[in-house]
Amino acid sequence: MTIIQYEELSAAQAAAVMAGLAEVLDGCVAEGASIGFVSRDPLPVNRFWQAVVADIASGDRRLLVARQQEKIVATVILQPCGMPNGRHRGEVAKLLVHPVARRQGIARELMRRIEQMAKQAGLRLLVLDTRSGDVAEQLYHSLGWQTAGQIPDYAQSTCGSYDPTTLMYKVIQA
């Protein structure tokens, strides 16, 4: 059994492994994941990760990764709300597991850890969105997330169709 290591990356650490982060995202897009990208063009992927690194440096985002044999195979981002009336909440984004690393409990463990990180940061409410009907939606429900609603035609898929998204939330217990 391969050991999985989990860690939060600083901005410098994330910048140093940008290619690995891009590889995870690209692998998910190649499998048709609804994660904001409709093609495997590396330019927008690299721009996305550069923005994440800048936000980590400013304290606006936190990034957790999972590694197998030193290689990054999964990510998840916590973005605390910056508005004064929302400092008690955060958004969970880019829970990505490279296709070669799936079905090992990595996504579940990343979610457990990001929820703990949010709790330690004083956040009491987490939100996220996911393509309706995806296996990720089932995962979130199994972790105690609640459905707030659904929006039709929310995001264009990698094949050009428009998919609904499910908005979800979880109240973090003190």
Side-chain angles (χ1 to χ4, degrees):
M1 181 175 188
T2 305
I3 295 174
I4 314 247
Q5 298 170 317
Y6 299 89
E7 66 179 309
E8 181 176 7
L9 298 185
S10 69
Q13 290 170 318
V17 296
M18 190 93 63
L21 296 169
E23 186 177 328
V24 171
L25 196 151
D26 180 67
C28 293
V29 172
E31 294 283 314
S34 180
I35 53 175
F37 298 86
V38 294
S39 78
R40 297 177 65 193
D41 181 353
L43 186 60
V45 170
N46 290 331
R47 284 185 181 151
F48 168 77
W49 285 115
Q50 288 167 352
V52 169
V53 168
D55 285 348
I56 294 169
S58 69
D60 291 337
R61 290 190 204 185
R62 296 175 73 180
L63 173 65
L64 286 178
V65 298
R67 295 179 191 261
Q68 263 183 334
Q69 299 174 342
E70 304 300 317
K71 183 176 179 175
I72 294 175
V73 295
T75 69
V76 67
I77 295 170
L78 175 63
Q79 185 169 341
C81 181
M83 297 305 293
N85 72 343
R87 301 246 163 101
H88 65 287
R89 71 177 187 263
E91 181 178 358
V92 174
K94 298 300 181 268
L95 176 63
L96 308 172
V97 180
H98 194 281
V100 301
R102 292 186 181 155
R103 308 294 305 160
Q104 299 179 57
I106 295 171
R108 181 174 297 279
E109 182 62 18
L110 280 172
M111 287 300 292
R112 187 191 71 72
R113 289 173 183 252
I114 208 83
E115 289 174 17
Q116 186 62 35
M117 180 186 291
K119 184 177 180 178
Q120 291 170 348
L123 302 180
R124 300 181 312 131
L125 177 67
L126 294 176
V127 297
L128 61 77
D129 68 88
T130 187
R131 182 169 46 196
S132 300
D134 269 2
V135 66
E137 185 177 3
Q138 297 169 20
L139 169 71
Y140 300 135
H141 280 296
S142 76
L143 293 169
W145 286 71
Q146 303 296 310
T147 297
Q150 191 177 83
I151 303 171
D153 296 339
Y154 185 79
Q156 185 178 9
S157 72
T158 56
C159 65
S161 64
Y162 292 91
D163 297 324
T165 196
T166 299
L167 304 173
M168 303 183 83
Y169 69 94
K170 186 170 185 179
V171 176
I172 304 296
Q173 302 300 321

